[in-house]
Amino acid sequence: MKLITYSHQGSTHPGVLTAGDTAVYPLPYPSMQALIEAPWEQVRAAARQVSGEPIPLEQVTLLAPIPSPRQDIICLGMNYLDHAAESARYDGDSFRKDSAIPVYFSKRVAEAVPPGGWIESHPGLVEQLDYEVELAVIIGKAASKVPAERVSEYIFGYTIVNDVSARRLQTTHKQWYFGKGLDGFTPMGPCITTADEVAFPPALAISAKVNGELRQSSNTRLLITSIADIIAELSSGITLLPGTIIATGTPAGVGMGFDPPRFLKSGDVIECAIENIGTLRNSVR
């Protein structure tokens, strides 16, 4: 299934897309978070029992799949070899990664930017605005001390996150929280593709375009730390609650990786695409 959150006639609903992704059926849950927390078989049954005419997508306003996550997004830094290399070339002191040990950080998101929504450029504060297409994993049930071989049982689905970054802020501070967590820095969507639709571990084409120019192109099978190892390690000491979002890292081709760097400016259009999920398109304001 492909699940979305949308607004229609003054109210917000989670829903399931029709074949062809052209229309949506509402589902009987107050929010996507409530849907994720519901028993999976109940959700599947509700999706099978939809009836009547679906609502054409052109008649709804698409929101981020989880508009206001219950917790900050857990992120991995430099989790593709080629991106680790381009990051080190840009700033070896700030982006040194001397081992295969994962780099974890969190991304503040009070409200995720919807598909078609604006990325805030924060004039006067941000000088080096950058993009990062990432596969995001959504936890479906409380995960504690989960062995790697059972991780797939705890995944609800996958979506796309653009980990927008203010590079100067990111490298000025010892931690990345401020430079990654500004308002309007977390586009998400366009949908959640449920885990039963994606072979595990995911080996999906991933790409990003800026103003129609292909900048990033890779495959999620190239993650340095796999999704199984990420969730096994995190859950060894942290209980991952339903609805937890984990952004798994970005491949090479971000703006800071070019010589000279090619940072975003007002009016730029960024299209982040992942196979079996869709395309997340946003513009810089």
Side-chain angles (χ1 to χ4, degrees):
M1 293 183 290
K2 287 185 175 180
L3 303 173
I4 64 170
T5 297
Y6 67 96
S7 177
H8 181 63
Q9 297 181 343
S11 57
T12 298
H13 310 270
V16 58
L17 290 176
T18 59
D21 302 345
T22 59
V24 60
Y25 283 104
L27 292 174
Y29 298 92
S31 66
M32 186 66 75
Q33 181 65 41
L35 186 155
I36 292 169
E37 293 176 359
W40 173 240
E41 287 306 317
Q42 182 188 95
V43 174
R44 286 176 60 99
R48 286 194 296 264
Q49 292 166 9
V50 294
S51 60
E53 288 296 318
I55 307 168
L57 285 186
E58 60 264 24
Q59 296 181 15
V60 310
T61 299
L62 196 59
L63 305 177
I66 305 177
S68 297
R70 65 189 297 182
Q71 296 176 317
D72 290 353
I73 295 175
I74 300 171
C75 302
L76 274 85
M78 299 175 288
N79 200 29
Y80 289 77
L81 283 172
D82 54 4
H83 176 60
E86 71 176 357
S87 299
R89 287 195 301 270
Y90 175 73
D91 187 333
D93 291 332
S94 298
F95 295 106
R96 181 174 291 111
K97 182 175 168 66
D98 297 326
S99 71
I101 296 173
V103 176
Y104 295 114
F105 61 96
S106 63
K107 186 174 180 76
R108 179 72 172 173
V109 49
E111 184 176 355
V113 179
W118 292 101
I119 295 168
E120 297 294 339
S121 59
H122 295 276
L125 176 63
V126 174
E127 301 174 6
Q128 298 171 335
L129 188 67
D130 213 344
Y131 55 90
E132 295 186 4
V133 59
E134 306 205 9
L135 176 68
V137 181
I138 299 165
I139 298 297
K141 58 184 179 180
S144 176
K145 298 177 174 57
V146 179
E149 61 270 18
R150 293 192 58 198
V151 159
S152 62
E153 301 171 27
Y154 290 79
I155 296 174
F156 178 81
Y158 305 92
T159 192
I160 303 170
V161 163
N162 183 351
D163 180 17
V164 178
S165 306
R167 295 302 186 193
R168 181 159 295 174
L169 289 179
Q170 180 186 4
T171 55
T172 297
H173 293 261
K174 294 299 183 183
Q175 301 292 332
W176 296 353
Y177 191 77
F178 189 40
K180 294 276 194 175
L182 300 182
D183 293 345
F185 267 29
T186 311
M188 183 194 304
C191 67
I192 295 171
T193 297
T194 54
D196 59 324
E197 300 284 343
V198 179
F200 189 84
L204 305 174
I206 181 171
S207 64
K209 295 179 180 178
V210 178
N211 301 326
E213 176 192 7
L214 183 64
R215 297 276 188 90
Q216 295 181 274
S217 181
S218 189
N219 193 289
T220 61
R221 63 180 171 79
L222 298 176
L223 294 173
I224 296 172
T225 303
S226 69
I227 292 170
D229 288 340
I230 292 166
I231 293 174
E233 179 170 61
L234 289 173
S235 72
S236 69
I238 300 172
T239 299
L240 304 175
L241 300 175
T244 296
I245 303 166
I246 303 172
T248 58
T250 198
V254 301
M256 71 175 179
F258 289 88
D259 185 15
R262 303 173 69 181
F263 295 117
L264 299 173
K265 61 185 184 302
S266 179
D268 284 348
V269 178
I270 303 91
E271 297 171 279
C272 297
I274 298 181
E275 183 182 2
N276 289 0
I277 301 174
T279 299
L280 173 64
R281 183 179 294 101
N282 299 94
S283 300
V284 178
R285 177 156 58 190

